[in-house]
Amino acid sequence: MSGTWSKFSSMLRNISPSRRSGDHGPRHSSDNHASPLSISRNSSTASRKAAAPPSAPVDPPHKAIPASPPVSPPTVTRSVAEAQAHRAAAANSDGGRLLPVVDTTLITVADYTIFPFETNPRLSAYAIHWLISGLAPLNVLIVGTGEYTTGFVGGAASNSDKSFGVVGLVMFDLRSRGKINKISMVGTTGLKNEGIRAHLQNGIGKKYKGLDTTVDLMPADGVERDPEAYKAAIDKLNPGDAVIVFTPDDTHFPIALYAIEHGCHVMVAKPAVKTVDHHRQIVNAAQRKGVLAVVELHKRYDPIYADAREKIRTFGDFSYYNAYMSQPKQQLQTFKSWAGKSSDISYYLNSHHIDMLTWSQQGRAVPISVVASAATGIATSDSYGCVEGTEDTITVMVTFRNVASGSHGTALFTSSWIAPKAEVHSQQRFFYMGHDGEVRVDQAHRGYEAADDSRGFYQNNPLFLRYTPDPHGRYAGQSTYGHQSFEKWVDAVLAVNRGENTPGDFETSLPTFSSTLVVTQILEAGRKSLDSNGAKIDLV
């Protein structure tokens, strides 16, 4: 054992800089056949303050692996036979992002993922990162196994544009590239676990070369219902691991708070939570525990919205904003289990454009009052069966005060889930007018149209997430804004765990809980206004 490790350590010190930063040359045969090794997870705080993993070719500049990394013999936590059992699965796990693998030695990191690396100097930079850094690998737990996570709804693939989900797919890619390690998912029932596994394998594992869809599902197969299964799942994590929450809106707060108190970084689907009080509790807990808590607001990474935000900030004081976002009626079949019970359409969709405006007005204009109105009649009909009181369409009117001049501006946010089936799944557009200019954005129509016999005419949006594989059959969505929303957070979490950054360093670059409090403030006021027959709710 010590001889093998000494040979490996010596080999690491002799890797040339060009090889360390990424050599994608042709494959060569090798006569080296080293034995699989296993290393234990070092969960100490000091172990997390280490070198960053080298980035994939598409990533920004990174710190190079030290020429002479401090290495010591690993602790064996698995037998050679156990490691060998994973050899076949690991052999094709490069996903197009790791360096070429010839005859491999398999390193089991944290008793979970098997990373292949070459026994000659062309080592996979991601694969050896955990060994030379001493950093504990990042495990990710996804709470919620529904449409946005897996695309599995009602025992089959969703009939939306996310039939194989988003979160799971992105996490499988990040694992194939060595950024994360073990992936777990937890729902409230184990009865659909078998269906989820088959769905992910058929829709992702068989579609994309090199993406392994192996995932730990909880509660256990056969468990009929356990609404608190997330607690047992979080208890299995280590401080510094990551939890992603995609569950009904009213469950975000207890799940996120439980994860934070366990020392985990969290990402929560929009809306973050439903009340300002809960939002502040999350902010305070995250600051106390030193973890990074963010909201999944992917429109911030949409290149059109991001560019419009910066342009808006050159147009002087805010005057008028009008935003609309919708989903087709068919989505109520998926949403009726929670629609009108745990949340409403304003929380669900208006959150995007409320964040867009308040993000663009950071430090410039503040909301001072809210009035809301709603339309009804479809969601509660026999055809859709939502609970009594469920609104079809909600409009929230917000008055803003420009900080410098004291002048006022008006914003209208409208969202609906009774739109007819159309050429796009979600209509999404806004108009902004400042004192010195205006912006019009229609993100439903990207100028990319198609038609086929099964779907008819439709608009495409591969900028959100590219589901079509590249010419080599690999997943190719890394640059899309639906993907970037997750990867940028994961990169930030890794930087915090390494001690290179603090959570506070990401206040301006990520939609953190502390920077999005105003969104919850407006959404809660809108709900209060509706519940008070359209009364004006003052915010200041």
Side-chain angles (χ1 to χ4, degrees), residues 20-173:
R20 288 197 301 273
S21 62
D23 176 5
H24 293 266
R27 295 175 181 264
H28 300 284
S29 61
S30 173
D31 295 327
N32 296 327
H33 298 280
S35 300
L37 305 176
S38 297
I39 64 171
S40 64
R41 178 176 183 141
N42 182 347
S43 60
S44 68
T45 302
S47 70
R48 291 189 178 276
K49 296 181 179 181
S55 300
V58 297
D59 288 341
H62 57 273
K63 294 183 177 181
I65 298 175
S68 299
V71 291
S72 58
T75 301
V76 177
T77 57
R78 275 187 173 182
S79 67
V80 169
E82 286 177 301
Q84 287 174 329
H86 294 276
R87 192 180 188 92
N92 294 317
S93 66
D94 64 4
R97 295 295 174 185
L98 300 180
L99 299 185
V101 177
V102 187
D103 295 302
T104 63
T105 294
L106 300 181
I107 301 298
T108 307
V109 182
D111 294 334
Y112 298 124
T113 303
I114 306 296
F115 287 113
F117 67 91
E118 294 182 305
T119 53
N120 64 33
R122 290 201 327 280
L123 296 173
S124 163
Y126 280 122
I128 65 173
H129 160 66
W130 307 110
L131 291 176
I132 67 171
S133 69
L135 178 66
L138 179 67
N139 298 319
V140 175
L141 170 67
I142 306 167
V143 185
T145 58
E147 181 180 51
Y148 208 81
T149 297
T150 66
F152 189 72
V153 177
S158 165
N159 61 2
S160 75
D161 59 345
K162 303 173 185 67
S163 57
F164 292 99
V166 176
V167 189
L169 175 57
V170 173
M171 292 303 115
F172 295 144
D173 173 69

